[in-house]
Amino acid sequence: MKTVEIIVPCYNEEKCIFLFYEKLKEVFMTLSQYRLILTYIDDGSTDGTMNEIKRLEKTARQEKIQYLSFSRNFGKEAAIYAGLLKSTGDYVTVMDADLQHPPELLKEMLYAIENEGYDCATARRVSRRGELPVRSTLSKCFYHVISKITAINLISGSTDYRLMTRKVVNAILSMPERERFTKGLYAWVGFNNKWIEYENRKRVAGRSKWNMRGLFRYAYSGIISFAITPLRGVIYLGLVITLAAFIYAGYVGIAALYAGEGGRNGYTSIMIAILFIGGVIITILGMIGEYLARIYLEVKKRPIYLEKESNLEGEHGIEEPEKEEYDKKTTN
Ligand code: UDP
Ligand code: MG
């Protein structure tokens, strides 16, 4: 009997836990040939999410309910990573707790993997009904830009909701970077993927954790994680400016030759040149600083999350390869 493991990142989702479970049970009534594991990753919730999960653990009969809770809010990306790291199922998927990722798509996903030879199947939103138009437009721009300037091809509307075989899960986990952008990692690892399309759903209860600022940060982080184009673009920008400066210098030189005494006032052109070049240099420094900061964060090798509580077997809050080193440090 194959096992399907569902990882559910939760951040203040007390109202959604039972609604989600009820719906999932309904779907699995028709998928009785699989064993179900539900792994809740509580991303430092401050409401009753953990209580709800524990209550569920006591009442659930057929399926295995696991949980792992973080010492604080580390973000959805960290929660996904923790879930995948601890996963044991034959097929693993990540699903939002608010039922915006329709559980019934699992049937189609399982069919694609088991009967059509795919390694993974990913849900893709084809409509953004019920979403603010400004958010849809900005997010379309984001997909366009990231696909243009990075080597990965991100499909608009793609989600984190993907059913994967163990092979794909291991591939995702083989990337140990701290600043994680799961959608990009999904695209980067390749494999045979089937897109499963669906219409946007409204959140079943509670509120979205994203505001515009958060979304901007997410988009920005995605681009910086995968694109080195901005860094390369800087060189071209520098060359173009140098060339422009040469041309302008030639022009000013010739003009000065022909101008009389009064025409040799170079104040304006000098000011323009200084301000322009100054602006460009500061921008470029900022851009380099951005990548430098990333390198700094990566070399520090801080854990992606810290565990507070869990009912998982053989668990610890540090990734396997770093556990030994961590133990050494803390016992000294
Ligand atoms: N989430 C999380 N950590 C966070 C923010 C969100 O684990 O810091 C979870 C959240 O509980 C939900 C999923 O990620 O299960 C998607 O979040 P949300 O519904 O708020 O995002 P939206 O659907 O509005 O993009
Ligand atoms: Mg949501």
Side-chain angles (χ1 to χ4, degrees):
M1 201 178 196
K2 296 259 187 193
T3 309
V4 176
E5 176 161 359
I6 301 176
I7 295 163
V8 195
C10 304
Y11 180 46
N12 295 344
E13 301 285 9
E14 59 180 0
K15 292 204 187 88
C16 294
I17 301 290
F18 265 83
L19 295 170
F20 175 84
Y21 175 71
E22 291 297 322
K23 178 75 194 161
L24 202 68
K25 285 281 291 187
E26 208 181 293
V27 171
F28 267 83
M29 296 269 243
T30 57
L31 290 169
S32 52
Q33 68 271 40
Y34 300 100
R35 219 164 64 87
L36 174 64
I37 302 182
L38 268 168
T39 306
Y40 289 93
I41 309 293
D42 165 40
D43 186 10
S45 299
T46 49
D47 66 353
T49 301
M50 240 0 255
N51 292 340
E52 289 294 286
I53 296 172
K54 284 181 182 163
R55 205 152 68 88
L56 196 65
E57 191 206 8
K58 289 205 182 81
T59 54
R61 289 282 162 268
Q62 282 136 348
E63 53 287 311
K64 188 168 171 190
I65 307 272
Q66 312 186 124
Y67 58 80
L68 188 162
S69 113
F70 287 176
S71 60
R72 64 167 168 87
N73 180 242
F74 279 86
K76 186 183 175 187
E77 297 292 333
I80 294 177
Y81 175 77
L84 292 178
L85 187 72
K86 302 290 183 180
S87 70
T88 52
D90 299 300
Y91 304 125
V92 182
T93 185
V94 179
M95 226 189 260
D96 282 1
D98 56 7
L99 286 176
Q100 281 192 299
H101 290 161
E104 61 271 20
L105 298 188
L106 273 177
K107 280 184 216 161
E108 235 178 294
M109 291 179 169
L110 281 163
Y111 188 84
I113 291 182
E114 294 210 315
N115 302 310
E116 296 174 338
Y118 288 97
D119 302 302
C120 45
T122 313
R124 177 174 172 244
R125 267 193 307 182
V126 282
S127 83
R128 289 178 169 269
R129 240 175 343 129
E131 197 180 74
L132 284 177
V134 47
R135 185 168 163 176
S136 319
T137 316
L138 285 173
S139 106
K140 273 194 201 124
C141 289
F142 164 68
Y143 283 107
H144 186 73
V145 169
I146 195 161
S147 295
K148 271 266 170 320
I149 70 171
T150 66
I152 55 166
N153 185 20
L154 265 201
I155 309 277
S156 172
S158 67
T159 62
D160 300 319
Y161 180 19
R162 163 187 274 203
L163 186 74
M164 295 170 270
T165 57
R166 198 87 314 264
K167 211 167 36 177
V168 182
V169 173
N170 289 342
I172 303 276
L173 288 173
S174 71
M175 286 175 281
E177 58 214 72
R178 268 113 255 275
E179 279 282 324
R180 299 181 77 80
F181 178 60
T182 304
K183 283 181 202 171
L185 300 179
Y186 279 176
W188 193 89
V189 294
F191 293 101
N192 250 350
N193 176 53
K194 178 165 189 182
W195 293 104
I196 313 261
E197 301 185 340
Y198 73 101
E199 300 274 327
N200 195 26
R201 303 277 167 98
K202 278 226 163 78
R203 187 174 240 287
V204 64
R207 280 196 302 135
S208 169
K209 310 300 166 319
W210 295 93
N211 50 24
M212 272 298 166
R213 211 172 127 234
L215 284 169
F216 266 116
R217 219 182 305 135
Y218 178 69
Y220 186 68
S221 158
I223 290 174
I224 300 283
S225 297
F226 280 89
I228 47 168
T229 328
L231 218 43
R232 269 191 206 140
V234 162
I235 298 171
Y236 294 117
L237 188 67
L239 287 176
V240 168
I241 289 167
T242 316
L243 189 71
F246 265 115
I247 295 171
Y248 185 62
Y251 165 75
V252 173
I254 294 166
L257 279 182
Y258 288 100
E261 274 298 312
R264 292 203 185 141
N265 182 356
Y267 177 75
T268 320
S269 51
I270 287 174
M271 278 315 279
I272 291 172
I274 288 178
L275 290 177
F276 182 60
I277 301 282
V280 169
I281 290 174
I282 292 170
T283 314
I284 292 171
L285 280 179
M287 202 173 276
I288 294 169
E290 196 62 50
Y291 284 93
L292 200 66
R294 278 299 166 92
I295 297 170
Y296 177 59
L297 287 178
E298 295 293 334
V299 297
K300 272 203 283 195
K301 282 203 186 301
R302 287 195 177 158
I304 295 171
Y305 67 91
L306 287 174
E307 189 178 309
K308 188 171 77 182
E309 189 185 357
S310 154
N311 71 348
L312 287 156
E313 287 128 31
E315 76 275 23
H316 48 72
I318 310 283
E319 302 139 69
E320 304 286 353
E322 279 149 34
K323 171 87 163 76
E324 245 171 62
E325 210 174 297
Y326 177 81
D327 283 347
K328 236 190 279 162
K329 267 191 213 154
T330 45
T331 46
N332 282 343

